[in-house]
Amino acid sequence: MSINIDDLASDLGFTTGGKGAEGPTWLPEPERQDRKYTVISVDDHIVEPPDTFEGRLPAKLADRAPKIVERDDGAEVWVYDGQEFPNVGFNAVVGRPVSEYSFEPSRFDEMRRGAWDIHHRIKDMDLAGIYASLNFPSFLPGFAGQRLQLTTSDQELALASVRAWNDWHLEDWAGAYPDRIIPCQIPWLLDPELGAEEIRRNAERGFKAVTFSEAPQKLGLPSLHTGHWDPIMRACAETGTVVNLHIGSSGTSPATADDAPPDTVGVLFFGYAMFAAVDWLYSMLPVRYPDLKICLSEGGIGWVAGLMDRLDHMLSYHDMYGTWTKDIGLTPAEVLKRNFWFCAVEDQSSFVLRDRIGVENILLESDYPHCDSTWPNTQSVIESEIGGLPDADVRRFTWQNASELYRFPVPAEVQADPNAF
């Protein structure tokens, strides 16, 4: 079995084969940026290196563990339980010209090394003035770990692979620079009781977040409205584990007509964040678990105020739409503001609505190493978007909200001077 990379790329609004005949083109190495702001980026990505799973699965499963194989055409692919997954780079295109942006690279040497090497990642964070970062998985696991679990019928292998990824992330990736990387786990999706045990075990080990699917029903799993996921969400609420819902973690993306150009997908990419916010809100999970913290990653903030207006408007139809009963004590918009956080990459016109959205609910992200990334110009992008806002608000957006949400302290000397790291 193999995945058709062209079909998948089209579904996500990418092209393929962006590199030239002689290989990728590399832009000149950027200089270290002037640092005006202390920054925590709450959405960057890992391209899993070839040794991610080595030595981390039981011996009886080692031969079927995910591994990198070089094909006859020179492409490097992941092979997992007899299946080939043909994308190792997943749009890891920073450092290359826009004309070469694509769904690939297909080899590790076609990527900037910081995409998959933690030591070079930290150097690139330093270059852009990013103090700390939360990193999501890439193509092989899937943004919510779903591909490791739903592409094999062997649950023992799937669970061992999920645990191996989490062990590698905690020990080798975040563990190499524990003051710079916020640990984020992938969940066990196939049994909510065991999934909850994993959340609790991982919280004790130091994980601060879990990357969950924005719409599990689109993966063929039970929806949020069934109560099926309550054990996991209860565990997240009780351990303070932030539930990150990354755009695309349902394996789908917003679309218009079947024959519309791929550009429409890119334009509408924020759409699932808004849909996910409504679905999660009306699942009543944040009502049943008021300490649950939900972060909509890479969804932007431009739609949030409008959604709040619509939620307030719906209250006038209370007798007709009786899901949200008065005994809840808070309006839907108030629960949205209490339990949800929103992430901005480039949303300049939306910051004027910060009080409506919630000054404490807005986070920043750089999306390294993807084509949307602000790297290496993260500092100047922040300056252009929020440089004129009150210092207290800027401080919240750039690092304080993320520090509080993920319980990830920033040293006083770095708070006072972004050049202190």
mmCIF file of all heavy atoms in Angstrom, residues 274-320:
data_model
loop_
_atom_site.group_PDB
_atom_site.id
_atom_site.type_symbol
_atom_site.label_atom_id
_atom_site.label_comp_id
_atom_site.label_asym_id
_atom_site.label_seq_id
_atom_site.Cartn_x
_atom_site.Cartn_y
_atom_site.Cartn_z
ATOM 1 N N MET A 274 -12.337 27.832 12.766
ATOM 2 C CA MET A 274 -13.642 28.352 13.163
ATOM 3 C C MET A 274 -14.659 27.219 13.326
ATOM 4 O O MET A 274 -15.404 27.166 14.318
ATOM 5 C CB MET A 274 -14.142 29.363 12.136
ATOM 6 C CG MET A 274 -15.476 29.984 12.491
ATOM 7 S SD MET A 274 -15.943 31.325 11.367
ATOM 8 C CE MET A 274 -16.169 30.392 9.835
ATOM 9 N N PHE A 275 -14.675 26.286 12.372
ATOM 10 C CA PHE A 275 -15.587 25.144 12.483
ATOM 11 C C PHE A 275 -15.266 24.328 13.725
ATOM 12 O O PHE A 275 -16.164 23.878 14.441
ATOM 13 C CB PHE A 275 -15.471 24.270 11.230
ATOM 14 C CG PHE A 275 -16.290 24.750 10.074
ATOM 15 C CD1 PHE A 275 -16.133 26.038 9.577
ATOM 16 C CD2 PHE A 275 -17.225 23.932 9.471
ATOM 17 C CE1 PHE A 275 -16.889 26.499 8.514
ATOM 18 C CE2 PHE A 275 -17.990 24.385 8.400
ATOM 19 C CZ PHE A 275 -17.818 25.663 7.914
ATOM 20 N N ALA A 276 -13.966 24.117 13.979
ATOM 21 C CA ALA A 276 -13.570 23.339 15.145
ATOM 22 C C ALA A 276 -13.971 24.035 16.438
ATOM 23 O O ALA A 276 -14.444 23.390 17.380
ATOM 24 C CB ALA A 276 -12.066 23.097 15.128
ATOM 25 N N ALA A 277 -13.814 25.358 16.491
ATOM 26 C CA ALA A 277 -14.187 26.095 17.698
ATOM 27 C C ALA A 277 -15.662 25.888 18.026
ATOM 28 O O ALA A 277 -16.039 25.637 19.177
ATOM 29 C CB ALA A 277 -13.883 27.579 17.528
ATOM 30 N N VAL A 278 -16.509 25.968 17.009
ATOM 31 C CA VAL A 278 -17.947 25.790 17.227
ATOM 32 C C VAL A 278 -18.248 24.358 17.647
ATOM 33 O O VAL A 278 -19.036 24.116 18.576
ATOM 34 C CB VAL A 278 -18.730 26.170 15.958
ATOM 35 C CG1 VAL A 278 -20.218 25.849 16.112
ATOM 36 C CG2 VAL A 278 -18.547 27.658 15.646
ATOM 37 N N ASP A 279 -17.619 23.396 16.967
ATOM 38 C CA ASP A 279 -17.893 21.995 17.276
ATOM 39 C C ASP A 279 -17.454 21.640 18.687
ATOM 40 O O ASP A 279 -18.195 20.985 19.439
ATOM 41 C CB ASP A 279 -17.187 21.108 16.257
ATOM 42 C CG ASP A 279 -17.792 19.709 16.185
ATOM 43 O OD1 ASP A 279 -19.019 19.580 16.319
ATOM 44 O OD2 ASP A 279 -17.029 18.744 15.980
ATOM 45 N N TRP A 280 -16.250 22.078 19.055
ATOM 46 C CA TRP A 280 -15.760 21.794 20.402
ATOM 47 C C TRP A 280 -16.580 22.540 21.450
ATOM 48 O O TRP A 280 -16.848 22.001 22.532
ATOM 49 C CB TRP A 280 -14.278 22.160 20.508
ATOM 50 C CG TRP A 280 -13.391 21.106 19.936
ATOM 51 C CD1 TRP A 280 -13.180 20.844 18.615
ATOM 52 C CD2 TRP A 280 -12.617 20.151 20.662
ATOM 53 N NE1 TRP A 280 -12.315 19.785 18.477
ATOM 54 C CE2 TRP A 280 -11.942 19.349 19.714
ATOM 55 C CE3 TRP A 280 -12.402 19.915 22.017
ATOM 56 C CZ2 TRP A 280 -11.095 18.313 20.085
ATOM 57 C CZ3 TRP A 280 -11.538 18.892 22.393
ATOM 58 C CH2 TRP A 280 -10.900 18.095 21.436
ATOM 59 N N LEU A 281 -16.988 23.748 21.152
ATOM 60 C CA LEU A 281 -17.792 24.518 22.100
ATOM 61 C C LEU A 281 -19.116 23.815 22.383
ATOM 62 O O LEU A 281 -19.513 23.625 23.538
ATOM 63 C CB LEU A 281 -18.031 25.916 21.533
ATOM 64 C CG LEU A 281 -18.762 26.922 22.414
ATOM 65 C CD1 LEU A 281 -17.955 27.227 23.673
ATOM 66 C CD2 LEU A 281 -19.013 28.202 21.620
ATOM 67 N N TYR A 282 -19.801 23.400 21.307
ATOM 68 C CA TYR A 282 -21.113 22.787 21.470
ATOM 69 C C TYR A 282 -21.058 21.300 21.770
ATOM 70 O O TYR A 282 -22.098 20.674 21.983
ATOM 71 C CB TYR A 282 -21.980 23.075 20.240
ATOM 72 C CG TYR A 282 -22.574 24.461 20.292
ATOM 73 C CD1 TYR A 282 -21.915 25.546 19.742
ATOM 74 C CD2 TYR A 282 -23.782 24.702 20.941
ATOM 75 C CE1 TYR A 282 -22.433 26.825 19.807
ATOM 76 C CE2 TYR A 282 -24.315 25.973 21.018
ATOM 77 C CZ TYR A 282 -23.640 27.033 20.454
ATOM 78 O OH TYR A 282 -24.161 28.301 20.536
ATOM 79 N N SER A 283 -19.881 20.737 21.808
ATOM 80 C CA SER A 283 -19.741 19.380 22.345
ATOM 81 C C SER A 283 -19.957 19.373 23.848
ATOM 82 O O SER A 283 -20.125 18.316 24.454
ATOM 83 C CB SER A 283 -18.358 18.823 22.031
ATOM 84 O OG SER A 283 -17.364 19.442 22.851
ATOM 85 N N MET A 284 -19.890 20.544 24.449
ATOM 86 C CA MET A 284 -20.020 20.750 25.887
ATOM 87 C C MET A 284 -18.822 20.225 26.675
ATOM 88 O O MET A 284 -18.851 20.217 27.910
ATOM 89 C CB MET A 284 -21.317 20.130 26.436
ATOM 90 C CG MET A 284 -22.559 20.738 25.839
ATOM 91 S SD MET A 284 -22.663 22.520 26.188
ATOM 92 C CE MET A 284 -23.886 23.039 25.009
ATOM 93 N N LEU A 285 -17.778 19.810 25.981
ATOM 94 C CA LEU A 285 -16.575 19.395 26.699
ATOM 95 C C LEU A 285 -16.020 20.514 27.584
ATOM 96 O O LEU A 285 -15.684 20.264 28.756
ATOM 97 C CB LEU A 285 -15.518 18.912 25.700
ATOM 98 C CG LEU A 285 -15.758 17.515 25.120
ATOM 99 C CD1 LEU A 285 -14.876 17.271 23.894
ATOM 100 C CD2 LEU A 285 -15.495 16.451 26.184
ATOM 101 N N PRO A 286 -15.923 21.766 27.085
ATOM 102 C CA PRO A 286 -15.422 22.824 27.971
ATOM 103 C C PRO A 286 -16.424 23.228 29.048
ATOM 104 O O PRO A 286 -16.044 23.923 30.001
ATOM 105 C CB PRO A 286 -15.130 23.985 27.014
ATOM 106 C CG PRO A 286 -15.964 23.725 25.821
ATOM 107 C CD PRO A 286 -16.081 22.243 25.702
ATOM 108 N N VAL A 287 -17.670 22.800 28.929
ATOM 109 C CA VAL A 287 -18.649 23.043 29.992
ATOM 110 C C VAL A 287 -18.509 21.963 31.061
ATOM 111 O O VAL A 287 -18.483 22.250 32.259
ATOM 112 C CB VAL A 287 -20.083 23.067 29.422
ATOM 113 C CG1 VAL A 287 -21.117 23.161 30.554
ATOM 114 C CG2 VAL A 287 -20.255 24.240 28.458
ATOM 115 N N ARG A 288 -18.385 20.724 30.609
ATOM 116 C CA ARG A 288 -18.224 19.620 31.571
ATOM 117 C C ARG A 288 -16.878 19.694 32.284
ATOM 118 O O ARG A 288 -16.758 19.283 33.442
ATOM 119 C CB ARG A 288 -18.355 18.272 30.850
ATOM 120 C CG ARG A 288 -19.757 17.968 30.383
ATOM 121 C CD ARG A 288 -19.940 16.493 30.085
ATOM 122 N NE ARG A 288 -19.165 16.030 28.952
ATOM 123 C CZ ARG A 288 -19.520 16.162 27.668
ATOM 124 N NH1 ARG A 288 -20.658 16.798 27.378
ATOM 125 N NH2 ARG A 288 -18.771 15.685 26.708
ATOM 126 N N TYR A 289 -15.861 20.203 31.574
ATOM 127 C CA TYR A 289 -14.519 20.297 32.144
ATOM 128 C C TYR A 289 -14.048 21.749 32.033
ATOM 129 O O TYR A 289 -13.326 22.119 31.119
ATOM 130 C CB TYR A 289 -13.562 19.352 31.406
ATOM 131 C CG TYR A 289 -14.090 17.944 31.363
ATOM 132 C CD1 TYR A 289 -14.561 17.387 30.173
ATOM 133 C CD2 TYR A 289 -14.165 17.174 32.526
ATOM 134 C CE1 TYR A 289 -15.071 16.102 30.147
ATOM 135 C CE2 TYR A 289 -14.675 15.888 32.509
ATOM 136 C CZ TYR A 289 -15.131 15.357 31.312
ATOM 137 O OH TYR A 289 -15.647 14.085 31.292
ATOM 138 N N PRO A 290 -14.485 22.586 32.970
ATOM 139 C CA PRO A 290 -14.205 24.029 32.861
ATOM 140 C C PRO A 290 -12.729 24.381 32.909
ATOM 141 O O PRO A 290 -12.360 25.495 32.524
ATOM 142 C CB PRO A 290 -14.961 24.625 34.055
ATOM 143 C CG PRO A 290 -15.244 23.488 34.975
ATOM 144 C CD PRO A 290 -15.345 22.275 34.127
ATOM 145 N N ASP A 291 -11.868 23.458 33.346
ATOM 146 C CA ASP A 291 -10.433 23.726 33.355
ATOM 147 C C ASP A 291 -9.749 23.302 32.059
ATOM 148 O O ASP A 291 -8.525 23.437 31.925
ATOM 149 C CB ASP A 291 -9.764 23.008 34.532
ATOM 150 C CG ASP A 291 -10.192 23.579 35.880
ATOM 151 O OD1 ASP A 291 -10.451 24.792 35.948
ATOM 152 O OD2 ASP A 291 -10.266 22.803 36.858
ATOM 153 N N LEU A 292 -10.519 22.796 31.109
ATOM 154 C CA LEU A 292 -9.951 22.354 29.839
ATOM 155 C C LEU A 292 -9.424 23.557 29.055
ATOM 156 O O LEU A 292 -10.097 24.576 28.922
ATOM 157 C CB LEU A 292 -11.022 21.623 29.022
ATOM 158 C CG LEU A 292 -10.568 20.903 27.754
ATOM 159 C CD1 LEU A 292 -9.619 19.762 28.090
ATOM 160 C CD2 LEU A 292 -11.784 20.384 26.977
ATOM 161 N N LYS A 293 -8.214 23.424 28.529
ATOM 162 C CA LYS A 293 -7.570 24.493 27.763
ATOM 163 C C LYS A 293 -7.400 24.018 26.330
ATOM 164 O O LYS A 293 -6.730 23.012 26.077
ATOM 165 C CB LYS A 293 -6.221 24.857 28.384
ATOM 166 C CG LYS A 293 -6.329 25.403 29.807
ATOM 167 C CD LYS A 293 -4.945 25.628 30.411
ATOM 168 C CE LYS A 293 -5.041 26.296 31.776
ATOM 169 N NZ LYS A 293 -5.765 25.476 32.758
ATOM 170 N N ILE A 294 -8.009 24.750 25.381
ATOM 171 C CA ILE A 294 -8.037 24.361 23.973
ATOM 172 C C ILE A 294 -7.377 25.459 23.153
ATOM 173 O O ILE A 294 -7.778 26.623 23.225
ATOM 174 C CB ILE A 294 -9.488 24.141 23.495
ATOM 175 C CG1 ILE A 294 -10.172 23.066 24.344
ATOM 176 C CG2 ILE A 294 -9.524 23.783 22.013
ATOM 177 C CD1 ILE A 294 -11.676 23.005 24.168
ATOM 178 N N CYS A 295 -6.377 25.086 22.378
ATOM 179 C CA CYS A 295 -5.645 26.055 21.568
ATOM 180 C C CYS A 295 -5.802 25.698 20.095
ATOM 181 O O CYS A 295 -5.509 24.569 19.687
ATOM 182 C CB CYS A 295 -4.168 26.057 21.957
ATOM 183 S SG CYS A 295 -3.196 27.319 21.110
ATOM 184 N N LEU A 296 -6.292 26.655 19.300
ATOM 185 C CA LEU A 296 -6.527 26.448 17.874
ATOM 186 C C LEU A 296 -5.295 26.894 17.093
ATOM 187 O O LEU A 296 -5.099 28.082 16.836
ATOM 188 C CB LEU A 296 -7.778 27.212 17.444
ATOM 189 C CG LEU A 296 -9.060 26.644 18.074
ATOM 190 C CD1 LEU A 296 -10.148 27.685 18.131
ATOM 191 C CD2 LEU A 296 -9.522 25.419 17.315
ATOM 192 N N SER A 297 -4.477 25.934 16.732
ATOM 193 C CA SER A 297 -3.162 26.219 16.167
ATOM 194 C C SER A 297 -3.243 26.477 14.662
ATOM 195 O O SER A 297 -3.883 25.730 13.930
ATOM 196 C CB SER A 297 -2.220 25.038 16.430
ATOM 197 O OG SER A 297 -2.193 24.739 17.814
ATOM 198 N N GLU A 298 -2.579 27.541 14.243
ATOM 199 C CA GLU A 298 -2.485 27.968 12.850
ATOM 200 C C GLU A 298 -3.843 28.337 12.255
ATOM 201 O O GLU A 298 -4.023 28.294 11.044
ATOM 202 C CB GLU A 298 -1.792 26.904 11.983
ATOM 203 C CG GLU A 298 -1.122 27.512 10.769
ATOM 204 C CD GLU A 298 -0.279 26.526 9.975
ATOM 205 O OE1 GLU A 298 0.323 25.620 10.593
ATOM 206 O OE2 GLU A 298 -0.221 26.674 8.756
ATOM 207 N N GLY A 299 -4.784 28.701 13.094
ATOM 208 C CA GLY A 299 -6.108 29.061 12.608
ATOM 209 C C GLY A 299 -6.335 30.540 12.443
ATOM 210 O O GLY A 299 -7.399 30.963 11.981
ATOM 211 N N GLY A 300 -5.371 31.373 12.848
ATOM 212 C CA GLY A 300 -5.551 32.811 12.757
ATOM 213 C C GLY A 300 -6.517 33.326 13.803
ATOM 214 O O GLY A 300 -7.089 32.574 14.605
ATOM 215 N N ILE A 301 -6.710 34.647 13.812
ATOM 216 C CA ILE A 301 -7.599 35.268 14.799
ATOM 217 C C ILE A 301 -8.655 36.158 14.157
ATOM 218 O O ILE A 301 -9.534 36.683 14.839
ATOM 219 C CB ILE A 301 -6.799 36.099 15.830
ATOM 220 C CG1 ILE A 301 -6.061 37.264 15.152
ATOM 221 C CG2 ILE A 301 -5.822 35.202 16.589
ATOM 222 C CD1 ILE A 301 -5.393 38.214 16.136
ATOM 223 N N GLY A 302 -8.611 36.330 12.837
ATOM 224 C CA GLY A 302 -9.495 37.295 12.190
ATOM 225 C C GLY A 302 -10.969 36.967 12.288
ATOM 226 O O GLY A 302 -11.818 37.852 12.197
ATOM 227 N N TRP A 303 -11.304 35.712 12.473
ATOM 228 C CA TRP A 303 -12.695 35.265 12.507
ATOM 229 C C TRP A 303 -13.285 35.241 13.913
ATOM 230 O O TRP A 303 -14.499 35.069 14.075
ATOM 231 C CB TRP A 303 -12.783 33.847 11.935
ATOM 232 C CG TRP A 303 -11.794 32.903 12.565
ATOM 233 C CD1 TRP A 303 -10.508 32.677 12.162
ATOM 234 C CD2 TRP A 303 -11.987 32.097 13.736
ATOM 235 N NE1 TRP A 303 -9.884 31.772 12.997
ATOM 236 C CE2 TRP A 303 -10.772 31.403 13.964
ATOM 237 C CE3 TRP A 303 -13.056 31.897 14.591
ATOM 238 C CZ2 TRP A 303 -10.608 30.518 15.024
ATOM 239 C CZ3 TRP A 303 -12.902 31.019 15.651
ATOM 240 C CH2 TRP A 303 -11.692 30.340 15.863
ATOM 241 N N VAL A 304 -12.454 35.397 14.946
ATOM 242 C CA VAL A 304 -12.893 35.120 16.321
ATOM 243 C C VAL A 304 -13.950 36.114 16.792
ATOM 244 O O VAL A 304 -14.990 35.727 17.357
ATOM 245 C CB VAL A 304 -11.691 35.101 17.282
ATOM 246 C CG1 VAL A 304 -12.157 34.827 18.710
ATOM 247 C CG2 VAL A 304 -10.665 34.067 16.842
ATOM 248 N N ALA A 305 -13.726 37.397 16.569
ATOM 249 C CA ALA A 305 -14.693 38.401 17.027
ATOM 250 C C ALA A 305 -16.033 38.217 16.330
ATOM 251 O O ALA A 305 -17.103 38.344 16.959
ATOM 252 C CB ALA A 305 -14.150 39.803 16.788
ATOM 253 N N GLY A 306 -15.997 37.925 15.038
ATOM 254 C CA GLY A 306 -17.240 37.695 14.317
ATOM 255 C C GLY A 306 -17.991 36.495 14.844
ATOM 256 O O GLY A 306 -19.228 36.500 14.929
ATOM 257 N N LEU A 307 -17.266 35.434 15.204
ATOM 258 C CA LEU A 307 -17.914 34.269 15.787
ATOM 259 C C LEU A 307 -18.553 34.622 17.118
ATOM 260 O O LEU A 307 -19.677 34.179 17.418
ATOM 261 C CB LEU A 307 -16.899 33.142 15.959
ATOM 262 C CG LEU A 307 -17.417 31.896 16.689
ATOM 263 C CD1 LEU A 307 -18.604 31.281 15.967
ATOM 264 C CD2 LEU A 307 -16.293 30.868 16.866
ATOM 265 N N MET A 308 -17.867 35.408 17.930
ATOM 266 C CA MET A 308 -18.447 35.801 19.208
ATOM 267 C C MET A 308 -19.736 36.586 19.006
ATOM 268 O O MET A 308 -20.723 36.392 19.736
ATOM 269 C CB MET A 308 -17.434 36.623 20.006
ATOM 270 C CG MET A 308 -16.282 35.802 20.556
ATOM 271 S SD MET A 308 -15.117 36.828 21.496
ATOM 272 C CE MET A 308 -14.155 35.559 22.315
ATOM 273 N N ASP A 309 -19.755 37.466 18.010
ATOM 274 C CA ASP A 309 -20.987 38.209 17.712
ATOM 275 C C ASP A 309 -22.113 37.253 17.339
ATOM 276 O O ASP A 309 -23.261 37.416 17.768
ATOM 277 C CB ASP A 309 -20.746 39.195 16.569
ATOM 278 C CG ASP A 309 -19.854 40.351 16.969
ATOM 279 O OD1 ASP A 309 -19.624 40.545 18.180
ATOM 280 O OD2 ASP A 309 -19.379 41.065 16.066
ATOM 281 N N ARG A 310 -21.793 36.264 16.515
ATOM 282 C CA ARG A 310 -22.814 35.305 16.099
ATOM 283 C C ARG A 310 -23.309 34.477 17.275
ATOM 284 O O ARG A 310 -24.502 34.185 17.401
ATOM 285 C CB ARG A 310 -22.238 34.390 15.008
ATOM 286 C CG ARG A 310 -23.245 33.402 14.429
ATOM 287 C CD ARG A 310 -24.385 34.099 13.730
ATOM 288 N NE ARG A 310 -25.379 33.143 13.252
ATOM 289 C CZ ARG A 310 -26.561 33.494 12.768
ATOM 290 N NH1 ARG A 310 -26.891 34.773 12.671
ATOM 291 N NH2 ARG A 310 -27.410 32.577 12.361
ATOM 292 N N LEU A 311 -22.402 34.078 18.160
ATOM 293 C CA LEU A 311 -22.799 33.318 19.339
ATOM 294 C C LEU A 311 -23.749 34.137 20.213
ATOM 295 O O LEU A 311 -24.753 33.609 20.725
ATOM 296 C CB LEU A 311 -21.560 32.912 20.143
ATOM 297 C CG LEU A 311 -20.641 31.871 19.503
ATOM 298 C CD1 LEU A 311 -19.353 31.742 20.309
ATOM 299 C CD2 LEU A 311 -21.326 30.509 19.381
ATOM 300 N N ASP A 312 -23.443 35.409 20.383
ATOM 301 C CA ASP A 312 -24.339 36.261 21.179
ATOM 302 C C ASP A 312 -25.686 36.420 20.499
ATOM 303 O O ASP A 312 -26.741 36.406 21.148
ATOM 304 C CB ASP A 312 -23.692 37.638 21.387
ATOM 305 C CG ASP A 312 -22.554 37.600 22.398
ATOM 306 O OD1 ASP A 312 -22.443 36.601 23.132
ATOM 307 O OD2 ASP A 312 -21.784 38.575 22.448
ATOM 308 N N HIS A 313 -25.660 36.558 19.164
ATOM 309 C CA HIS A 313 -26.907 36.701 18.427
ATOM 310 C C HIS A 313 -27.783 35.466 18.591
ATOM 311 O O HIS A 313 -29.018 35.576 18.706
ATOM 312 C CB HIS A 313 -26.606 36.941 16.944
ATOM 313 C CG HIS A 313 -27.824 36.984 16.076
ATOM 314 N ND1 HIS A 313 -28.721 38.030 16.103
ATOM 315 C CD2 HIS A 313 -28.295 36.099 15.155
ATOM 316 C CE1 HIS A 313 -29.686 37.801 15.233
ATOM 317 N NE2 HIS A 313 -29.454 36.631 14.652
ATOM 318 N N MET A 314 -27.173 34.284 18.620
ATOM 319 C CA MET A 314 -27.946 33.052 18.730
ATOM 320 C C MET A 314 -28.706 32.948 20.042
ATOM 321 O O MET A 314 -29.692 32.209 20.132
ATOM 322 C CB MET A 314 -27.005 31.858 18.584
ATOM 323 C CG MET A 314 -26.524 31.614 17.158
ATOM 324 S SD MET A 314 -27.829 31.010 16.078
ATOM 325 C CE MET A 314 -28.083 29.366 16.744
ATOM 326 N N LEU A 315 -28.271 33.685 21.062
ATOM 327 C CA LEU A 315 -28.984 33.618 22.337
ATOM 328 C C LEU A 315 -30.418 34.097 22.210
ATOM 329 O O LEU A 315 -31.289 33.711 23.004
ATOM 330 C CB LEU A 315 -28.247 34.448 23.393
ATOM 331 C CG LEU A 315 -26.888 33.926 23.840
ATOM 332 C CD1 LEU A 315 -26.293 34.848 24.887
ATOM 333 C CD2 LEU A 315 -26.998 32.507 24.383
ATOM 334 N N SER A 316 -30.685 34.939 21.215
ATOM 335 C CA SER A 316 -32.057 35.422 21.030
ATOM 336 C C SER A 316 -32.976 34.317 20.524
ATOM 337 O O SER A 316 -34.189 34.466 20.523
ATOM 338 C CB SER A 316 -32.067 36.602 20.045
ATOM 339 O OG SER A 316 -31.617 36.189 18.764
ATOM 340 N N TYR A 317 -32.381 33.180 20.068
ATOM 341 C CA TYR A 317 -33.169 32.037 19.611
ATOM 342 C C TYR A 317 -33.125 30.920 20.644
ATOM 343 O O TYR A 317 -33.225 29.749 20.294
ATOM 344 C CB TYR A 317 -32.613 31.531 18.280
ATOM 345 C CG TYR A 317 -32.690 32.526 17.162
ATOM 346 C CD1 TYR A 317 -31.596 33.316 16.837
ATOM 347 C CD2 TYR A 317 -33.868 32.683 16.433
ATOM 348 C CE1 TYR A 317 -31.663 34.234 15.811
ATOM 349 C CE2 TYR A 317 -33.946 33.601 15.411
ATOM 350 C CZ TYR A 317 -32.845 34.376 15.097
ATOM 351 O OH TYR A 317 -32.911 35.293 14.081
ATOM 352 N N HIS A 318 -32.989 31.277 21.887
ATOM 353 C CA HIS A 318 -32.747 30.279 22.931
ATOM 354 C C HIS A 318 -33.828 29.210 22.965
ATOM 355 O O HIS A 318 -33.550 28.019 23.116
ATOM 356 C CB HIS A 318 -32.640 30.951 24.300
ATOM 357 C CG HIS A 318 -32.364 29.985 25.415
ATOM 358 N ND1 HIS A 318 -33.367 29.389 26.137
ATOM 359 C CD2 HIS A 318 -31.202 29.484 25.907
ATOM 360 C CE1 HIS A 318 -32.840 28.577 27.041
ATOM 361 N NE2 HIS A 318 -31.521 28.621 26.917
ATOM 362 N N ASP A 319 -35.082 29.619 22.820
ATOM 363 C CA ASP A 319 -36.165 28.644 22.913
ATOM 364 C C ASP A 319 -36.156 27.672 21.738
ATOM 365 O O ASP A 319 -36.616 26.534 21.849
ATOM 366 C CB ASP A 319 -37.514 29.362 22.985
ATOM 367 C CG ASP A 319 -37.689 30.108 24.307
ATOM 368 O OD1 ASP A 319 -37.005 29.740 25.275
ATOM 369 O OD2 ASP A 319 -38.503 31.052 24.357
ATOM 370 N N MET A 320 -35.623 28.158 20.588
ATOM 371 C CA MET A 320 -35.582 27.303 19.406
ATOM 372 C C MET A 320 -34.346 26.404 19.424
ATOM 373 O O MET A 320 -34.405 25.239 19.049
ATOM 374 C CB MET A 320 -35.588 28.155 18.134
ATOM 375 C CG MET A 320 -35.692 27.347 16.836
ATOM 376 S SD MET A 320 -35.694 28.413 15.377
ATOM 377 C CE MET A 320 -37.178 29.370 15.657
#
